[in-house]
Amino acid sequence: MKLLTVDDSKTVRIIVRKAFKGYDLNILEAANGVEGLAIAAKEMPDLILLDVTMPVMDGIEMLTKLKSNPLVKNIPVIMLTAEGGRDTVLKIAKIGVRDYMVKPFKEDVLLDKVGRILDLKLVGEEVEARRTILDKVQLLMVEDKPAIVEQVREGLKHTPWEIHHSTNTWNAVDFAQNNTVDLFLVSLNLPEDSSFELIQILRSNRKTKSVPVLAMVVKTDKNRYAKAQQMGFSGIVTKPLEMVELEARVARCMNLDMSPRYYSFEQKYMVIRFPEKPTGIDLSEISNNLSKKLSEAVDSGLSRIIIDLQNCKSLEVGIIKQVLQITQSCRDLSLEHALVGNDSIVEQGQSFEETKNWKVYQSIESAEELLQVPVS
Amino acid sequence: MISELPIETERFNLIVANAVSSVFQTMLSRHIELDTTSSHDANGAPVRHIPITESGQQLVVGNIGFVGKLTGMVYLYMTYPFAINIASEMLGMDPHEVEEDEMVNDVIGELSNMIVGHFKNQLDEHGYGCRLTIPSILRGSNFEVEPVRSASRQVYYFSTPDDQHLIFDLLMQPGD
């Protein structure tokens, strides 16, 4: 959850930040109405604390502009003012605020008022475990071209993701109200540009405002691409769709942990598994998670690592580099390691200076047996 | 001037006392009380003769104007060490962390805003609606505020149990 505090006084911004220090709340700050509007449109906070008297653009003007922008008009606002006179209160009430506070205020009053609007949680309280690439998540595709829908379903069928489909925006909104949607995949080529209306509806709806929305646009359609960049979409993929890229973008938008696809922990060892044809994304995920996963292995008492290339069709340079990085890291940590591959990997390995001395086992079991032999 | 308002002088003084003590209590959990007040006309003794300004210490002065049925200016005087002390308590930081001028100025500006805002809200309730200006800060050890001749001046002297002083210097004249 995000709270935006708009106040020219750094003191008030520090006091607000201090008040919510122990809460799982991201505090955003702006020093005047102009900055406040820009941050509100970009970050879509769940609540705005807005000062009245500020230079550049005051709170009343910012509130007026906020309420006239369909994208952000439903963000609740608590006005914060040292001037609590009747006229001021009536004026801000007319424009539409959820509540107001007169300075000076006690910290517990601030917490109480914010807590009535946001479901405040202490840090660490009921924090959901990060979802992984192996979890079943719900995707809603809003696309009126059946061929594209089929292409996406086919391209992502190896994932555990459940892909729902809607041909128009109204059905999509209806579906989202009655079901859980973890990500919207929306075509920008729907009739009457209705996808731009859809993003506004989704962003202003309490249930869907934080759900990532990935846009699909024809590569050459520069106008829609530019418009989508300003409308709060979580990301944009271009048609014709590249499935590897789409899968990676979907996972990234949902902040899915990709590492279980490559790293698994067995009773006595950790396996680092390479896919059939590793892409740049696969290799960077393996690389980015390497230190963390080796630390986890050490922490859990594992001292053996198996690098599994059995699925790989060919020994690409990227794979070789990555394996060399892994073996070096294992040596640095004094971890025993073994390489498992297939005939093709063994044969191709003879052709490279860096790999010709690799000892490649034909199965995880044989590698495991060898790793269990005490080092003399 | 105060005697010309349909608010009793005693009541008016209470409004000022409440504004200062209530902000100190709420924001700093600290007791402060009004010791005495003195009236001056425009040609009266300048505030530099007030005890805390005679020590030659650097002063921090928050000032805010108000415009409306009453128009005027409030100056809040305090010594620099007291300002640091207030800033550190208000921000929940150690005093050495708030020694930056910008930070102290910002806290005293906000404290002035709250005190004068409280004072202004009470005036509103008595039918003297006005608006506040954005606070500004004066700093130095050798300056005085010279009011316009038409304004009257009332100075309020506050102190805390640990002998820190604050002066609420009010310059006021009828507005629109």
Side-chain angles (χ1 to χ4, degrees):
Chain A
M1 276 192 302
K2 296 175 192 170
L3 180 147
L4 169 62
T5 170
V6 188
D7 204 306
D8 59 321
S9 164
K10 198 174 175 184
T11 302
V12 173
R13 302 201 304 267
I14 292 174
I15 289 171
V16 169
R17 187 172 282 281
K18 191 161 66 83
F20 294 101
K21 196 177 174 186
Y23 290 89
D24 191 14
L25 190 63
N26 185 10
I27 308 286
L28 310 166
E29 296 180 17
N32 58 57
V34 174
E35 284 181 16
L37 284 172
I39 295 175
K42 189 175 172 217
E43 299 285 345
M44 296 301 294
D46 300 277
L47 177 65
I48 299 174
L49 284 181
L50 180 56
D51 185 26
V52 173
T53 312
M54 291 182 289
V56 186
M57 180 191 286
D58 69 14
I60 306 274
E61 188 178 350
M62 176 179 160
L63 181 64
T64 309
K65 288 187 188 299
L66 198 76
K67 293 296 169 190
S68 62
N69 181 344
L71 193 62
V72 288
K73 71 176 184 182
N74 291 321
I75 298 174
V77 175
I78 295 179
M79 289 300 272
L80 211 56
T81 174
E83 297 185 56
R86 191 171 170 275
D87 289 349
T88 309
V89 173
L90 283 176
K91 200 169 173 182
I92 58 179
K94 269 186 189 171
I95 309 170
V97 290
R98 186 66 71 89
D99 207 342
Y100 77 95
M101 289 178 67
V102 178
K103 299 177 193 174
F105 55 85
K106 280 200 175 291
E107 198 174 289
D108 53 359
V109 175
L110 176 66
L111 288 170
D112 179 55
K113 287 196 183 269
V114 170
R116 287 181 197 184
I117 298 170
L118 301 180
D119 185 16
L120 290 175
K121 285 192 170 65
L122 292 167
V123 172
E125 183 188 349
E126 291 177 33
V127 177
E128 285 179 27
R130 187 180 170 196
R131 286 179 300 188
T132 78
I133 192 78
L134 305 179
D135 288 334
K136 186 175 179 178
V137 293
Q138 308 295 324
L139 268 55
L140 177 59
M141 200 173 167
V142 190
E143 170 63 82
D144 60 346
K145 313 279 188 307
I148 302 277
V149 177
E150 197 44 45
Q151 184 196 3
V152 171
R153 284 205 161 124
E154 181 63 25
L156 299 180
K157 71 178 180 190
H158 61 284
T159 69
W161 303 342
E162 207 160 312
I163 301 173
H164 307 277
H165 170 230
S166 172
T167 52
N168 62 60
T169 56
W170 297 114
N171 285 347
V173 172
D174 194 42
F175 182 90
Q177 280 309 306
N178 297 308
N179 301 277
T180 298
V181 177
D182 297 304
L183 179 131
F184 293 91
L185 186 58
V186 180
S187 169
L188 295 187
N189 301 91
L190 296 176
E192 298 168 0
D193 275 347
S194 56
S195 38
F196 294 108
E197 198 181 330
L198 176 65
I199 183 80
Q200 293 187 353
I201 295 169
L202 296 176
R203 287 292 174 250
S204 62
N205 183 297
R206 191 179 165 83
K207 191 176 175 195
T208 56
K209 64 180 293 187
S210 303
V211 178
V213 183
L214 191 56
M216 297 181 287
V217 63
V218 175
K219 207 170 195 171
T220 51
D221 194 344
K222 304 286 182 201
N223 289 339
R224 285 198 178 90
Y225 192 100
K227 193 174 173 184
Q229 283 180 312
Q230 299 167 358
M231 293 288 287
F233 284 93
S234 315
I236 305 169
V237 288
T238 53
K239 294 177 188 173
L241 294 169
E242 171 56 55
M243 283 304 136
V244 174
E245 189 205 349
L246 177 65
E247 184 185 341
R249 296 296 294 272
V250 167
R252 201 168 296 161
C253 278
M254 287 191 286
N255 192 27
L256 298 182
D257 178 6
M258 302 275 279
S259 65
R261 177 174 283 175
Y262 315 103
Y263 292 88
S264 61
F265 291 87
E266 307 300 333
Q267 202 175 353
K268 293 179 179 169
Y269 50 87
M270 180 177 83
V271 179
I272 305 175
R273 189 166 285 112
F274 283 66
E276 186 180 323
K277 289 181 190 166
T279 62
I281 294 166
D282 293 320
L283 294 172
S284 73
E285 282 292 334
I286 293 172
S287 175
N288 293 341
N289 283 289
L290 181 62
S291 299
K292 188 178 147 210
K293 293 293 173 184
L294 288 177
S295 297
E296 279 178 36
V298 172
D299 274 351
S300 49
L302 299 179
S303 58
R304 298 172 180 130
I305 309 298
I306 292 178
I307 305 160
D308 184 1
L309 302 180
Q310 285 182 106
N311 293 329
C312 296
K313 293 273 189 209
S314 64
L315 195 56
E316 310 276 344
V317 177
I319 300 175
I320 296 171
K321 281 184 179 172
Q322 192 55 68
V323 171
L324 291 173
Q325 187 195 346
I326 295 169
T327 53
Q328 184 57 49
S329 298
C330 288
R331 276 194 288 272
D332 292 345
L333 290 166
S334 305
L335 294 169
E336 294 176 62
H337 55 278
L339 197 56
V340 176
N342 50 41
D343 292 342
S344 170
I345 294 294
V346 173
E347 191 187 324
Q348 290 175 50
Q350 301 302 316
S351 322
F352 300 102
E353 187 62 30
E354 294 85 352
T355 60
K356 67 182 182 188
N357 294 326
W358 277 3
K359 170 77 180 159
V360 180
Y361 297 93
Q362 292 290 321
S363 71
I364 287 185
E365 289 71 28
S366 57
E368 188 188 356
E369 277 170 26
L370 189 99
L371 286 172
Q372 284 172 357
V373 175
V375 179
S376 56
Chain B
M1 172 64 202
I2 291 172
S3 57
E4 292 169 18
L5 296 172
I7 312 172
E8 290 171 17
T9 304
E10 211 170 294
R11 173 76 189 135
F12 193 88
N13 292 347
L14 201 58
I15 288 174
V16 174
N18 278 345
V20 175
S21 63
S22 146
V23 171
F24 265 67
Q25 191 60 49
T26 307
M27 300 309 293
L28 303 162
S29 301
R30 197 163 177 164
H31 182 68
I32 191 166
E33 65 181 22
L34 178 63
D35 294 331
T36 178
T37 77
S38 69
S39 299
H40 303 256
D41 61 27
N43 299 315
V47 171
R48 71 185 162 90
H49 293 304
I50 292 165
I52 67 164
T53 67
E54 287 172 350
S55 59
Q57 291 194 74
Q58 195 187 27
L59 294 177
V60 179
V61 183
N63 70 88
I64 295 194
F66 51 96
V67 183
K69 290 186 177 172
L70 285 173
T71 291
M73 186 73 85
V74 172
Y75 294 87
L76 286 162
Y77 290 71
M78 67 204 77
T79 60
Y80 181 66
F82 190 32
I84 295 262
N85 185 254
I86 288 172
S88 70
E89 283 182 30
M90 205 148 148
L91 300 176
M93 296 175 174
D94 287 335
H96 73 268
E97 289 179 289
V98 291
E99 277 174 359
E100 282 175 33
D101 290 348
E102 191 198 342
M103 186 82 93
V104 174
N105 287 358
D106 197 86
V107 172
I108 300 307
E110 191 53 37
L111 184 84
S112 308
N113 188 37
M114 290 176 184
I115 291 174
V116 182
H118 196 292
F119 166 72
K120 175 252 173 202
N121 293 340
Q122 294 294 304
L123 290 182
D124 273 359
E125 287 183 12
H126 286 84
Y128 291 91
C130 45
R131 284 195 58 95
L132 301 183
T133 63
I134 289 172
S136 60
I137 299 292
L138 295 171
R139 289 175 79 144
S141 55
N142 186 22
F143 63 88
E144 62 185 71
V145 173
E146 197 167 314
V148 292
R149 284 177 179 277
S150 56
S152 67
R153 185 175 208 171
Q154 187 81 11
V155 185
Y156 298 82
Y157 305 87
F158 290 85
S159 66
T160 64
D162 58 342
D163 209 29
Q164 299 284 358
H165 298 272
L166 179 128
I167 295 166
F168 185 106
D169 182 10
L170 171 66
L171 302 162
M172 200 163 61
Q173 63 182 17
D176 49 31

